[in-house]
Amino acid sequence: MTQTTEAAAAAVPQTPSPRKPRIHRAWFVAAVTFVTIIGAAAFRSLPGLLIDPLHQDFGWSRGTISAAVSINLALYGLTAPFAAALMDRFGIRRVVAVALTVIAVGSGLTVWMTAAWQLMLCWGLLVGLGSGSMALAFAATVTNRWFTERRGLVTGILTAASASGQLIFLPVLSWMVEEHDWRPAAVTVALAALAVVPFVWLLLRDHPADVGLKPYGAKEFVPKPDPVPGAARRAVTVLFQAARTGPFWLLAGTFAICGASTNGLIQTHFVPAAHDAHMPVQAAASLLAVIGVFDVVGTIASGWFTDRFDARRLLAMYYALRGVSLLFLPMLLAPSVHPPMLFFIVFYGLDWVATVPPTVALCREQYGEDSAIVFGWVLASHQVGAALVAFLGGVARDVFGSYDMVWYFSGALCAAAALMALVIRRRQTPVPAVAAVA
């Protein structure tokens, strides 16, 4: 009887004990992307710290120095859609590695410059082109390829990487500029960009199919698409197709105002404006670093909200609150840091690039497979807006002797952006992808 029972038990197939699920490779790719963007973000911490030192060293006007920053910001945006198309053609890893190298070369060459045109060539052209290839279109491409679920959250995390880079490098760079001159700071930026290249080349992968995986959250295996030739033509073709739709112009317009009120205004001119109010440079730079701390929190939270709420209403709320805060800034600038200024810094940090996850989500909703390239063009408008305000802010400071008019004007623009976000129409069926251009 016992032997019969044992034999019957052996005949019954045993249910394997469940194994603890492994972490999906997509999260490791996202981590490498995060670190890569942090390394590349070092150069974005420097322009606002260079305006006064370059003005003192070379006698260049603030408008001239701001023009170089303006070129950098404009190319940062205009390069992004072509970089997204190049990633489809040559792969993410190759494009990002070359971009980081170009950033390092451009930043390193500035230590030997003697004329303003060299600043525009090195910092404006080279660093602008390299950084454009490392723009948020890079994060959008990684998110679209590796994730089906949690896209809003991942977009928020990767967007926050720029703020984390600012947090890490800004206090160090401001100390270098104050204590040792601006040249060691430029060299530090070059070395930081170069240090990330090996991580990109060894650890980053272009597509889940490269390692035999499905995208995170996908129910079916997604084969790796063939390389798409004609990257430049495809980027332009996608632009012409998207430009025939109303949501593109509304997204581009709101994001241009986003760039004007962040990169162009606060990141470029906050430190010199605070210095005008007799605040020490290191104190002002530290406040920008605090913005970076809360930007991480705000952007990740915005990604979480974007997965759950209407992206249009989120955008409207973000822009409205940002506009109100800018109207109060001229009254808050003072020789020392005080509680109302800290409240502004925390508030502005939470809202800094919280606009990115809902903007990416709306691009994905409207334009489907072409959304990364469309977002690249929307990002181009972001940087054009940033470039205009970076330049005009410097000119306004030369003409009026203060930045007050710039703060008020930017606040009014943010109110307009809030209204524009609310009139974007929802689309349930995305437009078809542009066919590959031979």
Side-chain angles (χ1 to χ4, degrees), residues 21-334:
R22 296 168 55 190
I23 299 176
H24 195 283
R25 179 68 176 268
W27 293 107
F28 291 103
V29 172
V32 174
T33 304
F34 186 89
V35 173
T36 303
I37 296 175
I38 285 178
F43 75 91
R44 298 186 63 192
S45 303
L46 198 54
L49 303 177
L50 293 182
I51 292 179
D52 286 336
L54 292 178
H55 174 69
Q56 294 170 5
D57 277 11
F58 298 103
W60 302 334
S61 71
R62 291 177 176 83
T64 298
I65 300 168
S66 297
V69 178
S70 179
I71 293 171
N72 178 294
L73 292 172
L75 286 176
Y76 175 86
L78 293 172
T79 305
F82 296 99
L86 286 171
M87 289 176 189
D88 289 340
R89 175 66 178 87
F90 297 105
I92 298 173
R93 184 168 57 169
R94 292 179 181 176
V95 172
V96 172
V98 172
L100 286 166
T101 304
V102 172
I103 290 172
V105 171
S107 180
L109 288 176
T110 58
V111 300
W112 291 289
M113 67 183 179
T114 57
W117 68 267
Q118 294 167 346
L119 175 67
M120 295 180 187
L121 174 65
C122 295
W123 203 262
L125 180 63
L126 291 179
V127 177
L129 289 173
S131 61
S133 300
M134 290 290 302
L136 293 174
F138 166 46
T141 301
V142 170
T143 304
N144 289 347
R145 291 187 182 184
W146 280 89
F147 291 86
T148 298
E149 296 180 352
R150 303 286 188 257
R151 280 176 166 175
L153 176 63
V154 175
T155 301
I157 293 172
L158 295 182
T159 302
S162 291
S164 299
Q166 176 176 297
L167 165 65
I168 292 169
F169 289 103
L170 190 56
V172 176
L173 294 176
S174 64
W175 175 80
M176 286 185 177
V177 171
E178 282 274 288
E179 302 294 331
H180 300 287
D181 194 24
W182 59 270
R183 290 175 178 84
V187 172
T188 300
V189 169
L191 294 177
L194 274 181
V196 183
V197 174
F199 291 95
V200 170
W201 194 255
L202 296 174
L203 301 176
L204 193 62
R205 291 295 179 266
D206 293 330
H207 196 277
D210 289 342
V211 289
L213 293 176
K214 297 181 292 185
Y216 178 82
K219 296 181 179 179
E220 298 179 356
F221 183 81
V222 179
K224 183 178 180 179
D226 294 330
V228 181
R233 291 179 61 189
R234 181 171 180 238
V236 175
T237 301
V238 170
L239 171 63
F240 284 141
Q241 184 185 63
R244 291 196 292 265
T245 65
F248 173 79
W249 293 106
L250 291 169
L251 288 168
T254 55
F255 222 42
I257 294 171
C258 178
S261 55
T262 53
N263 302 73
L265 182 65
I266 297 295
Q267 188 164 333
T268 304
H269 294 293
F270 177 80
V271 171
H275 190 56
D276 284 347
H278 308 292
M279 182 182 292
V281 171
Q282 284 186 262
S286 297
L287 290 177
L288 278 185
V290 174
I291 285 181
V293 175
F294 288 94
D295 180 24
V296 174
V297 178
T299 308
I300 294 175
S302 178
W304 188 87
F305 290 141
T306 301
D307 287 332
R308 291 161 175 79
F309 301 105
D310 187 343
R312 300 168 303 160
R313 295 183 179 180
L314 288 175
L315 281 181
M317 180 180 67
Y318 296 155
Y319 285 122
L321 293 175
R322 183 183 299 179
V324 171
S325 66
L326 284 173
L327 296 179
F328 286 96
L329 182 56
M331 295 179 283
L332 301 178
L333 292 171

